[in-house]
Amino acid sequence: MDYHILDARYISGYVVWLRFRDGTAGEVDLALELRGPVFEPLRDPSYFKAFMVHPEFHTLVWPNGADFAPEFLYRNVRVTA
């Protein structure tokens, strides 16, 4: 599936750079998406940086179980040159 994330890097604030299986790469700002109990811990910048790419689900996940659907991230990525 093209929505699979292959690589992710922290940029700043709540911005993450992503590279998808189809070659699309760019940044996504998640600041406005950190609403609700599961996302509350991610408002702490040091905790936000603790994301990883899940090896089976190919999306961003955090230690508390928070995640974003890869389709959502793909639709919201700003392609960078």
Side-chain angles (χ1 to χ4, degrees), residues 12-43:
S12 66
Y14 301 106
V15 178
V16 179
W17 176 89
L18 303 171
R19 182 171 54 90
F20 293 87
R21 182 184 223 163
D22 72 352
T24 299
E27 298 175 357
V28 62
D29 186 348
L30 298 171
L32 298 177
E33 306 304 324
L34 302 181
R35 298 180 306 251
V38 75
F39 293 112
E40 193 69 32
L42 279 61
R43 291 182 179 199

Side-chain angles (χ1 to χ4, degrees), residues 2-70:
D2 290 341
Y3 300 127
H4 286 183
I5 296 171
L6 300 180
D7 193 15
R9 293 183 218 138
Y10 175 75
I11 300 297
S12 66
Y14 301 106
V15 178
V16 179
W17 176 89
L18 303 171
R19 182 171 54 90
F20 293 87
R21 182 184 223 163
D22 72 352
T24 299
E27 298 175 357
V28 62
D29 186 348
L30 298 171
L32 298 177
E33 306 304 324
L34 302 181
R35 298 180 306 251
V38 75
F39 293 112
E40 193 69 32
L42 279 61
R43 291 182 179 199
D44 174 349
S46 62
Y47 195 84
F48 181 83
K49 294 177 190 179
F51 65 82
M52 63 173 271
V53 176
H54 192 282
E56 183 179 351
F57 302 120
H58 306 283
T59 194
L60 294 183
V61 297
W62 282 264
N64 70 336
D67 65 24
F68 286 96

